[in-house]
Amino acid sequence: MKFYDCSTAPSPRRVRIFIAEKGLDIPVQQVDLRNGEQLSATFRALNADCAVPVLQLDDGRMLSEVVAICQYLEEVSPDPRLMGVDAAERATVLMWNAKIEQQGLSATADAFRNSAKGFKDRALTGPHNYAQIPQLAERGMQRAVHFSQRLDELFASNAYVIGKAISIADISAFLFVEFASRLKAIDLDDFENLRRWHESVGERPAFQR
Amino acid sequence: MKFYDCSTAPSPRRVRIFIAEKGLDIPVQQVDLRNGEQLSATFRALNADCAVPVLQLDDGRMLSEVVAICQYLEEVSPDPRLMGVDAAERATVLMWNAKIEQQGLSATADAFRNSAKGFKDRALTGPHNYAQIPQLAERGMQRAVHFSQRLDELFASNAYVIGKAISIADISAFLFVEFASRLKAIDLDDFENLRRWHESVGERPAFQR
């Protein structure tokens, strides 16, 4: 296998942490997003959506999208389990991961890509250019606050997103909180439970990746 | 189990088709989205994100998000397989389903909810109100065209999204095409391969649901 990564981007970092939690050692190739390598013909042949992460399988097949790559790694290297131990728990992990992507990570991406000067006409990843929409950046900041409230309520009773076990959903939520904090969309001191969970998972060695 | 559905909404229809392809018979409860039942305290207790579909399990646990509900049903009723037969194929199904949600279904939802008169201040599902952003509706129409081109290229060689077998990804893509056509974002006559695939899957009895 080969893992196409970019050490400065949030999406591939989710897979990097997942790989580290599993204790796997997969050869890495860095993709230079800052200089547009993801838009090159060579990279488009790997992923027509011009985005990392990508996992190349031993038979040459290419997997993109974080949840898909992690699902594959979970099946070929089951321990430790990071996507649930039975049918209901596996579904619960996918449910929370989807909510975190749609309500959390898409909000921070909207806030960042629709306001950062370097992302003019690059409001979305992919081969097509789209103009920045300032109102969408503002909405992203508001949504990040609302979703932080939702997570804060969850962590009032849960040690981890799905309850007592860490999962890919915690990795996704951690990246959301990191991004929302860096954008100053939220101040973690306003969310006591979320801050406690963030400190706890952030101390794990895999989360230093 | 109990399935919380709404016969006029696209997201629960994906689960309805999935259930019909599996040949399952699950008791259904309709949720009256037009009159805001999803925002009621009773429904919020089932899904705090105020959206259908929701699947109530026999032990009372609630699953929301299409991919999570389908993952659960796939595990408890494996035949016929709709989410892949081995690790690489299961990951490929999740990959395509994610791409269709992010690039297709979110585009049509943006186009519709940011322009329809009845959705003023309801540009997103969920408990919070967000104002419509007209530029986002326009962008959604453009993205729907781009994603239709992407699918059209795929169906030049593939009978179904992942290749030779139908999967949840075809159900998701079908709903995208239905929605994009109804919004007049696309004219299927401009996409020969996509139109042929759409006619073929649209003839399946489960897709009449």
Side-chain angles (χ1 to χ4, degrees):
Chain A
M1 290 193 283
K2 190 198 279 187
F3 172 45
Y4 291 84
D5 191 2
C6 174
S7 60
T8 55
S11 289
R13 189 176 170 203
R14 289 163 64 196
V15 175
R16 217 153 62 225
I17 295 173
F18 191 93
I19 288 171
E21 284 282 352
K22 289 270 185 197
L24 299 174
D25 187 15
I26 301 174
V28 171
Q29 182 161 330
Q30 291 291 324
V31 179
D32 185 357
L33 297 188
R34 290 197 180 170
N35 288 307
E37 186 183 348
Q38 75 279 21
L39 301 170
S40 67
T42 309
F43 190 82
R44 277 181 204 222
L46 309 183
N47 180 12
D49 295 311
C50 305
V52 284
V54 171
L55 185 72
Q56 180 171 25
L57 306 188
D58 290 335
D59 65 6
R61 277 186 284 186
M62 298 290 169
L63 288 177
S64 47
E65 306 302 330
V66 173
V67 72
I69 292 171
C70 293
Q71 167 69 30
Y72 181 78
L73 296 175
E74 179 85 354
E75 286 208 47
V76 297
S77 299
D79 297 312
R81 300 275 173 167
L82 293 172
M83 294 181 77
V85 298
D86 60 25
E89 197 175 285
R90 278 188 283 274
T92 303
V93 168
L94 282 186
M95 173 184 81
W96 271 107
N97 196 63
K99 288 180 193 292
I100 294 161
E101 289 188 351
Q102 290 162 27
Q103 298 177 45
L105 290 164
S106 83
T108 46
D110 279 352
F112 176 65
R113 297 188 72 107
N114 286 280
S115 63
K117 280 184 185 171
F119 284 77
K120 185 173 181 297
D121 293 326
R122 295 294 304 159
L124 289 169
T125 59
H128 303 289
N129 285 342
Y130 292 102
Q132 292 178 323
I133 301 175
Q135 283 171 281
L136 194 52
E138 285 170 38
R139 191 182 81 174
M141 299 290 271
Q142 292 163 4
R143 289 175 70 207
V145 174
H146 286 141
F147 193 61
S148 297
Q149 288 163 345
R150 178 102 161 81
L151 289 177
D152 193 62
E153 286 163 23
L154 184 73
F155 292 126
S157 53
N158 284 16
Y160 298 102
V161 173
I162 65 159
K164 293 177 183 165
I166 194 162
S167 73
I168 184 181
D170 294 280
I171 299 173
S172 302
F174 183 80
L175 266 288
F176 159 69
V177 171
E178 292 276 294
F179 208 166
S181 300
R182 211 168 57 214
L183 289 168
K184 302 196 191 305
I186 61 166
D187 180 343
L188 267 180
D189 288 338
D190 298 336
F191 303 96
E192 187 183 330
N193 305 311
L194 185 61
R195 185 175 53 75
R196 189 180 60 243
W197 163 86
H198 179 261
E199 280 177 12
S200 164
V201 294
E203 285 169 0
R204 299 172 72 93
F207 283 67
Q208 313 309 318
R209 299 301 186 89
Chain B
M1 289 192 284
K2 190 198 279 189
F3 173 45
Y4 291 84
D5 191 1
C6 174
S7 59
T8 55
S11 288
R13 189 175 170 205
R14 290 163 63 196
V15 175
R16 216 152 64 225
I17 295 173
F18 191 92
I19 289 171
E21 284 282 351
K22 289 270 186 199
L24 299 174
D25 187 14
I26 301 174
V28 171
Q29 182 160 330
Q30 291 291 324
V31 179
D32 185 357
L33 297 188
R34 289 196 181 170
N35 288 308
E37 185 183 349
Q38 75 278 21
L39 301 170
S40 67
T42 309
F43 190 82
R44 276 181 205 224
L46 310 183
N47 180 12
D49 295 311
C50 306
V52 283
V54 171
L55 185 71
Q56 180 171 25
L57 306 188
D58 289 335
D59 65 6
R61 277 186 284 185
M62 298 289 170
L63 288 177
S64 48
E65 306 303 329
V66 173
V67 72
I69 292 171
C70 293
Q71 167 69 28
Y72 181 79
L73 295 175
E74 179 84 353
E75 286 207 48
V76 297
S77 299
D79 297 310
R81 300 276 173 167
L82 293 172
M83 295 181 76
V85 298
D86 59 25
E89 196 175 284
R90 278 188 283 274
T92 303
V93 168
L94 282 186
M95 173 183 82
W96 271 107
N97 195 63
K99 287 180 193 292
I100 294 161
E101 288 188 351
Q102 290 162 27
Q103 298 177 44
L105 289 164
S106 83
T108 46
D110 279 352
F112 177 65
R113 297 187 73 108
N114 286 282
S115 63
K117 281 184 185 171
F119 284 77
K120 187 174 181 297
D121 293 327
R122 294 295 303 158
L124 288 168
T125 58
H128 303 288
N129 285 343
Y130 291 102
Q132 292 178 322
I133 301 175
Q135 283 171 280
L136 194 51
E138 285 169 38
R139 191 182 82 174
M141 299 290 270
Q142 292 163 5
R143 289 175 70 206
V145 174
H146 286 141
F147 193 61
S148 297
Q149 288 163 345
R150 179 101 160 82
L151 290 177
D152 193 62
E153 286 163 23
L154 184 74
F155 292 127
S157 54
N158 284 15
Y160 298 102
V161 173
I162 65 159
K164 293 178 183 166
I166 195 162
S167 73
I168 184 181
D170 295 278
I171 299 173
S172 301
F174 184 81
L175 266 289
F176 160 69
V177 171
E178 292 275 295
F179 207 166
S181 300
R182 210 167 60 215
L183 289 168
K184 302 196 191 304
I186 61 165
D187 180 343
L188 268 181
D189 287 337
D190 297 337
F191 303 97
E192 187 183 330
N193 305 311
L194 185 60
R195 186 175 52 75
R196 188 179 62 242
W197 164 86
H198 179 262
E199 280 177 13
S200 165
V201 295
E203 285 169 359
R204 299 171 72 94
F207 283 67
Q208 314 309 318
R209 300 301 186 87

